[in-house]
Amino acid sequence: MDHLRVDVFDNGAVRLGTNLVCDGYAEGFDFRVQTHIHDDHMGDFNRSKGLQDIFMSRETKALLIAELNADIEYRDNIISLGWGEEKELEDGTKLTFVRSGHMLGSTQVVVEYPDGLRCGYSGDFSWPINDVIQVDELVVDSTYGSSASIRKYSQGEAESCLLEIVSQRLRHGSVHIHAHRGTIERVLHILSANIGVPILGSKRLISEISVYQANGFALGSVTSTDSEKGRVALNGKSYVRLYAKGDGFRNELIEGTSISCSAFMTKPDNPVVEYSEKAFGVALTNHADFEGTIEYIRATGAKKIVTDNTRSHGVDLAVAVNSLISDAYAQPSSNHPAFTVR
Ligand SMILES: [Zn+2]
Ligand SMILES: [Zn+2]
């Protein structure tokens, strides 16, 4: 394949051309895009803050501020963009963000060069989504790029299973639910109107949830574990407690039932794994599976595809794209990540 303008560096930074990287730092690149706030995409963020202009959606910026990165609000090299707004950068390229459906603020990225070539990065994305970027060259997330990653149940079914387990286990005591940021807000949305017990969370989580609420998400209220009301509920054993990043799940002794919500697919036809009568996994995820990933790539119209090999499955996905999409050519990114993120 001829020379591509897109690739992924060893540190996981996604390169769209010669001057812009996504979700990482690269020497000599003026611009960084932050696609969303998950930790595995935040590499070298502080370094970028000192050395690059950083672009992100307004929602991502609000979430980072809520995470106590107070200086973000006042830095003039941190620039937020609206959905679909085309931003011309100093080097003559044009940058556009399109929602990726993965969590609040998460974006797909398009950089259009003065010669008309359009380079894109999917970021983490869910499927189906309303708007798909239209590009010539694409870097695609390959987290579920293996054909073993096909889910034979819908996310609606996974949500019903979660609600059923929570309702059932609340008869035996408290329920403790752990999920990634973004997914934990979905859990709250599912439970809010449907269970008659207090829902507890950390102050950190409550400030994150308030950003979702400010952006139009109808989420029920969460009581702080540090408040008087929260302490009373904690003594009563009839409550649900939510945990995300930094909330200490597994560091404390849990007397009730614990439920982890993540995208694991040990059983492709059942969203629930029962570890014991007090411990469950529910496959709630905001990531496209293998089939969704292929459909997504088709929908972008990209003819040259780099599968991001940072989180494994890049090779599997490139092979699959080459056999399933006839007029496109895919290759795994050239990076050699030092370790594989699960
Ligand atoms: Zn993510
Ligand atoms: Zn990710």
Side-chain angles (χ1 to χ4, degrees):
M1 181 152 62
D2 8 298
H3 185 66
L4 286 190
R5 284 190 208 178
V6 302
D7 199 1
V8 185
F9 288 112
D10 285 358
N11 66 359
V14 171
R15 168 168 84 78
L16 300 182
T18 51
N19 206 18
L20 181 142
V21 281
C22 306
D23 297 347
Y25 174 78
E27 181 107 36
F29 283 65
D30 289 335
F31 307 124
R32 171 181 179 139
V33 164
Q34 190 59 47
T35 64
H36 66 298
I37 63 162
H38 282 154
D39 283 347
D40 60 322
H41 294 256
M42 289 293 295
D44 291 325
F45 189 78
N46 283 328
R47 203 162 165 205
S48 293
K49 249 185 356 192
L51 296 163
Q52 295 177 301
D53 284 345
I54 309 179
F55 298 88
M56 59 185 71
S57 67
R58 298 199 177 99
E59 294 88 336
T60 291
K61 186 169 173 178
L63 285 168
L64 285 175
I65 293 167
E67 224 184 291
L68 304 175
N69 279 302
D71 69 316
I72 284 178
E73 200 167 352
Y74 307 105
R75 297 189 77 105
D76 57 11
N77 68 327
I78 296 190
I79 302 136
S80 60
L81 250 59
W83 300 113
E85 177 189 332
E86 189 178 78
K87 170 88 179 172
E88 181 155 354
L89 307 183
E90 285 145 38
D91 61 4
T93 59
K94 291 171 189 159
L95 175 66
T96 312
F97 288 165
V98 175
R99 289 177 210 269
S100 78
H102 173 66
M103 69 171 293
L104 183 67
S106 68
T107 188
Q108 309 166 70
V109 185
V110 183
V111 178
E112 185 175 319
Y113 279 80
D115 64 3
L117 190 96
R118 291 164 66 84
C119 297
Y121 172 42
S122 65
D124 286 359
F125 62 99
S126 69
W127 190 260
I129 46 177
N130 290 336
D131 294 313
V132 176
I133 53 173
Q134 298 302 302
V135 294
D136 302 294
E137 297 185 11
L138 173 73
V139 177
V140 65
D141 180 68
S142 311
T143 308
Y144 296 98
S146 151
S147 58
S149 304
I150 297 177
R151 297 177 205 121
K152 298 199 173 80
Y153 49 84
S154 69
Q155 283 300 297
E157 287 167 308
E159 291 180 357
S160 309
C161 289
L162 174 67
L163 183 57
E164 202 181 303
I165 295 172
V166 172
S167 310
Q168 209 264 328
R169 293 305 306 173
L170 274 172
R171 292 186 215 133
H172 305 274
S174 60
V175 174
H176 301 251
I177 305 176
H178 177 259
H180 283 300
R181 289 173 294 167
T183 305
I184 201 73
E185 282 78 10
R186 261 179 79 197
V187 170
L188 175 59
H189 179 76
I190 296 160
L191 299 185
S192 296
N194 293 307
I195 55 165
V197 302
I199 299 178
L200 310 180
S202 68
K203 277 191 184 138
R204 188 212 61 78
L205 182 61
I206 290 168
S207 94
E208 182 178 291
I209 286 165
S210 70
V211 178
Y212 273 73
Q213 289 164 331
N215 281 281
F217 282 75
L219 297 177
S221 69
V222 171
T223 304
S224 168
T225 47
D226 286 339
S227 68
E228 186 53 39
K229 216 176 134 195
R231 277 188 288 270
V232 170
L234 282 168
N235 284 328
K237 296 195 170 150
S238 185
Y239 63 89
V240 171
R241 182 166 174 183
L242 304 180
Y243 305 75
K245 178 205 171 191
D247 292 336
F249 188 69
R250 295 187 200 290
N251 297 335
E252 313 170 9
L253 191 65
I254 288 175
E255 48 78 27
T257 299
S258 70
I259 303 173
S260 275
C261 296
S262 75
F264 64 86
M265 276 174 280
T266 45
K267 289 189 276 181
D269 55 350
N270 185 346
V272 177
V273 178
E274 188 171 345
Y275 300 112
S276 77
E277 66 164 356
K278 289 174 65 184
F280 299 83
V282 178
L284 218 59
T285 174
N286 296 338
H287 268 287
D289 71 353
F290 171 74
E291 288 174 331
T293 301
I294 296 291
E295 281 180 48
Y296 171 83
I297 295 169
R298 275 207 183 93
T300 64
K303 298 292 173 262
K304 296 174 180 174
I305 296 120
V306 168
T307 54
D308 185 354
N309 210 19
T310 308
R311 298 165 192 83
S312 74
H313 299 311
V315 176
D316 294 347
L317 182 59
V319 169
V321 169
N322 288 325
S323 76
L324 295 170
I325 308 180
S326 55
D327 55 348
Y329 181 79
Q331 65 185 30
S333 57
S334 67
N335 57 334
H336 300 282
F339 61 94
T340 316
V341 180
R342 186 165 60 97

